[in-house]
Amino acid sequence: MQSWQLPEHIADILPSTARQLESAREKLLALFRVHGYELVHPPLMEYSHSLLTRIDAGLSLKTIRVVDQLSGRQLGIRADITPQVARIDAHLLSANNGINRLCYAGSVLHARPDGFLNTREPLQVGAELYGFAGVAADIELIDLMLKSVSVAEFGEILLSLGHIGVFRALADAAGLSEQQSEQLLALMQDKDAAAVRAQVDGWQLDGMWAKAFALLPTLYGGREVLQEARNRLPDLFAVGKALDELQAVCDAFPGRQIHIDLAELRVDNYHTGLLYAAYGSDCHDAVARGGRYDGLGQYFGRARPATGFSFDLRMFIGRLPQSEQTQFIAVAHQDMAEACSAVEQLRAEGHCVVIDYGVEHNGTKNTTRRLKKQDGEWKVIETEMEQV
């Protein structure tokens, strides 16, 4: 193996793309900041049990583990930042019993990629709101999510909505075990109503519940799905509450194209309610995903209502506005000793000053701005195009 080779699904980011990503990251953090979200930087590595690997099978499979040479305990390299932010809200910010708005932007590492075209090192960006259980908080986060994905070009953005509460209410009412619920959730993803019906028939469920579960994979489409669900699903309080929350989101975005899918349940185990995602018209997968995960903080000592979203900023590569390379000022290396003060002054003012050794600089072949001494003063002079 060559020493320069990288592991599969791991890649370098070169200067022009890195500039685009960093510019997008700065815009996103500025967007979060003006909406009241404070930046946090959780560590890349923690004790594995703190990363919720013991309660979320999917997250556990993604987490890379190593042994801590100092304590001998098992460490995990984070595969998702959301549990870390929940820990921060529950423990480090426990003095605040009101709302905490937190955001983040950092790398995570996956033992396996989520898909053939996915990286194992996503650059996860997201925002979370803790301390308010009302659907208004979900609407705030959905609005922020839609504004976030607009920094890149994904075509027309579709807002996709679901609600794990509908399935959970039916599963509880039907008396399904945790294992049965997980098995049925997996079947729901294929939208195969016949397979779902065959499974619930095999469990000999009451006909009303068997019919309801078989109906769920067919309840997808536009806003009209909500009325159909009210007409055809069992009249359970939790189901009605979930449909009311979905209706509130639809009402909050009257001009937005919305797709509702009551069997769209691809979530982490910690999600508890409303689910939302943004899809681009020319993108094969969701650009961003989010949802409600009330109570996640109980694993860190403080259960709190919470909602939030995140996305992989690396997915934006190739869709971000072109970032112009910084126009630099060249100064001949033989002049540096004398021009040092002038160079540092220009850099302090935000100018890029590059020492010219007479060879090409970072792939840039020329510049028309040079620092030269004229009439006893160092000045930036516009010159003819010269090789750098």
Side-chain angles (χ1 to χ4, degrees):
M1 179 182 294
Q2 299 294 328
S3 60
W4 48 263
Q5 288 182 321
L6 294 174
E8 292 185 50
H9 298 276
I10 297 291
D12 293 309
I13 299 179
L14 300 182
S16 60
T17 303
R19 284 197 301 272
Q20 290 180 322
L21 284 179
E22 184 58 25
S23 177
R25 178 181 175 276
E26 290 172 355
K27 289 179 182 177
L28 288 165
L29 292 181
L31 174 67
F32 296 161
R33 185 165 53 251
V34 298
H35 283 75
Y37 289 78
E38 298 288 345
L39 181 65
V40 292
H41 283 293
L44 183 63
M45 185 166 56
E46 296 192 38
Y47 293 121
S48 60
H49 72 272
S50 296
L51 297 173
L52 303 190
T53 55
R54 69 194 188 283
I55 67 165
D56 191 314
L59 190 57
S60 181
L61 289 174
K62 289 182 182 180
T63 303
I64 296 175
R65 297 170 174 82
V66 297
V67 175
D68 184 5
Q69 294 187 17
L70 295 180
S71 68
R73 297 173 62 183
Q74 187 182 73
L75 301 176
I77 300 174
R78 67 185 182 198
D80 183 4
I81 297 179
T82 298
Q84 295 184 296
V85 181
R87 172 182 57 74
I88 289 172
D89 172 75
H91 180 60
L92 299 178
L93 300 179
S94 60
N96 179 18
N97 291 318
I99 290 176
N100 277 328
R101 290 181 172 88
L102 304 173
C103 64
Y104 51 85
S107 291
V108 297
L109 196 61
H110 293 171
R112 294 177 178 272
D114 286 335
F116 181 73
L117 299 178
N118 294 85
T119 177
R120 292 168 60 192
E121 189 191 3
L123 177 52
Q124 188 178 350
V125 178
E128 322 283 343
L129 187 151
Y130 296 87
F132 187 74
V135 69
D138 299 286
I139 292 170
E140 176 181 330
L141 268 296
I142 291 171
D143 177 64
L144 187 57
M145 178 183 72
L146 295 173
K147 290 175 179 176
S148 298
V149 300
S150 69
V151 304
E153 181 52 58
F154 289 102
E156 185 177 0
I157 295 296
L158 169 73
L159 174 60
S160 177
L161 300 175
H163 203 301
I164 191 69
V166 175
F167 176 85
R168 298 293 186 203
L170 294 175
D172 289 344
L176 296 188
S177 67
E178 184 176 345
Q179 183 179 0
Q180 287 175 318
S181 293
E182 291 178 359
Q183 189 174 349
L184 202 53
L185 275 173
L187 290 175
M188 290 285 181
Q189 303 313 305
D190 297 329
K191 298 284 191 295
D192 190 342
V196 171
R197 180 176 290 279
Q199 182 63 75
V200 296
D201 286 347
W203 292 334
Q204 298 183 334
L205 292 185
D206 181 275
M208 178 175 67
W209 306 121
K211 181 180 178 181
F213 285 123
L215 179 64
L216 274 187
T218 71
L219 291 175
Y220 62 90
R223 300 167 189 252
E224 69 281 355
V225 167
L226 295 180
Q227 187 57 52
E228 183 181 0
R230 292 184 191 278
N231 294 337
R232 301 180 65 185
L233 288 176
D235 186 17
L236 299 175
F237 174 80
V239 169
K241 182 175 183 294
L243 296 176
D244 287 345
E245 290 178 352
L246 287 166
Q247 185 65 59
V249 176
C250 290
D251 293 344
F253 300 95
R256 174 70 60 177
Q257 185 182 2
I258 292 179
H259 178 79
I260 298 170
D261 188 346
L262 295 186
E264 177 53 64
L265 306 173
R266 286 177 287 184
V267 295
D268 295 299
N269 284 352
Y270 54 71
H271 281 104
T272 60
L274 190 72
L275 306 170
Y276 40 91
Y279 286 83
S281 59
D282 59 350
C283 194
H284 73 282
D285 198 3
V287 180
R289 290 185 183 276
R292 180 160 286 278
Y293 52 98
D294 294 345
L296 181 60
Q298 69 180 320
Y299 297 98
F300 307 108
R302 185 168 73 145
R304 297 254 282 166
T307 182
F309 69 90
S310 67
F311 52 85
D312 177 11
L313 190 56
R314 287 187 181 230
M315 284 186 61
F316 290 30
I317 290 176
R319 300 173 181 273
L320 294 168
Q322 289 296 321
S323 178
E324 294 185 3
Q325 184 170 351
T326 303
Q327 295 299 308
F328 62 87
I329 301 167
V331 56
H333 73 96
Q334 60 268 25
D335 291 337
M336 266 303 293
E338 187 178 351
C340 183
S341 295
V343 168
E344 294 307 318
Q345 178 61 37
L346 287 168
R347 288 172 174 168
E349 294 170 359
H351 299 284
C352 176
V353 182
V354 174
I355 301 173
D356 179 6
Y357 295 105
V359 295
E360 184 178 338
H361 161 68
N362 277 11
T364 303
K365 297 181 178 179
N366 48 60
T367 182
T368 60
R369 306 174 72 204
R370 290 188 169 272
L371 184 63
K372 294 186 175 182
K373 195 171 188 178
Q374 286 190 348
D375 301 325
E377 295 183 4
W378 291 100
K379 298 179 180 179
V380 178
I381 306 299
E382 293 287 341
T383 66
E384 296 293 327
M385 204 72 74
E386 298 179 36
Q387 293 297 315
V388 175

